Amino acid sequence: MAYWLMKSEPEVYGWEDLLREKTGIWDGVRNYAARNNLRAMKKGDEALFYHSNAGKMTGVVGIMRVVGEAEPDVTFTEVPNVWSVVKVAPVRQLKRLVTLAEIKAEPRLKEMELLRYGRLSVQKVLAEEWRIVVAMGDKKTG
DNA sequence: GCCAACGTTGGC
DNA sequence: GCCAACGTTGGC
């Protein structure tokens, strides 16, 4: 099973929206590197839901699962349609937000794509990085 | 709102 | 194929 991190601006589509919908279509990706990651996702993979562009609230809020593999993005209407979506469902919310500032401050996370290639909206996360971020989010403090 | 770090487009 | 100009993302 692989791990991922997927960004969305909460004002556009946030964790709360995914909770309400139960199953979300991750559409609107318009970057080839991000799209290739979408296409590499398999059912059962897990992804961190990251709120981007959210001021102090920027960071990882929850865990979701890939429940449907890549399909054409119908929000793109040109031919050929080169963009893809996946289906995701919430697994659980972390006990608290893991902010970008904390991730930056954690030496074991300094190789994360989130820090190395900040603008990529769909990223791969190593199992080790996953474990660390989730542990941070499940601790009440620190 | 600014701007760095990209990615994309198009002239040549 | 190169690269300048432009557009976008997203942190601050």
Side-chain angles (χ1 to χ4, degrees):
Chain A
M1 188 186 83
Y3 297 105
W4 308 93
L5 179 148
M6 299 165 83
K7 295 185 186 179
S8 183
E9 299 191 27
E11 287 189 9
V12 177
Y13 186 88
W15 174 252
E16 304 298 325
D17 297 304
L18 180 61
L19 287 182
R20 194 178 320 113
E21 288 189 346
K22 308 273 200 298
T23 300
I25 305 289
W26 206 271
D27 59 19
V29 170
R30 296 290 183 268
N31 169 286
Y32 287 103
R35 183 210 65 183
N36 291 346
N37 284 335
L38 288 179
R39 290 184 177 180
M41 290 182 185
K42 298 293 181 194
K43 255 188 207 177
D45 285 358
E46 290 191 328
L48 301 170
F49 194 123
Y50 178 94
H51 278 167
S52 63
N53 248 314
K56 285 182 182 169
M57 302 305 284
T58 295
V60 176
V61 287
I63 297 172
M64 52 192 170
R65 189 187 317 282
V66 177
V67 296
E69 295 176 11
E71 294 175 50
D73 186 342
V74 297
T75 68
F76 186 75
T77 53
E78 290 170 39
V79 177
N81 189 341
V82 295
W83 304 115
S84 301
V85 303
V86 295
K87 284 188 190 143
V88 292
V91 173
R92 66 183 179 87
Q93 187 165 348
L94 296 179
K95 292 203 178 87
R96 61 176 190 81
L97 177 75
V98 179
T99 65
L100 176 61
E102 286 176 83
I103 291 172
K104 282 184 171 171
E106 171 51 63
R108 294 173 297 165
L109 297 177
K110 69 169 192 287
E111 294 299 316
M112 275 188 83
E113 282 190 33
L114 183 64
L115 305 184
R116 285 154 38 96
Y117 182 17
R119 292 181 50 209
L120 188 59
S121 65
V122 182
Q123 318 178 347
K124 204 160 200 318
V125 174
L126 301 180
E128 175 73 1
E129 295 164 346
W130 178 276
R131 196 180 56 70
I132 294 165
V133 172
V134 170
M136 290 163 80
D138 284 339
K139 260 187 200 157
K140 268 286 182 238
T141 55

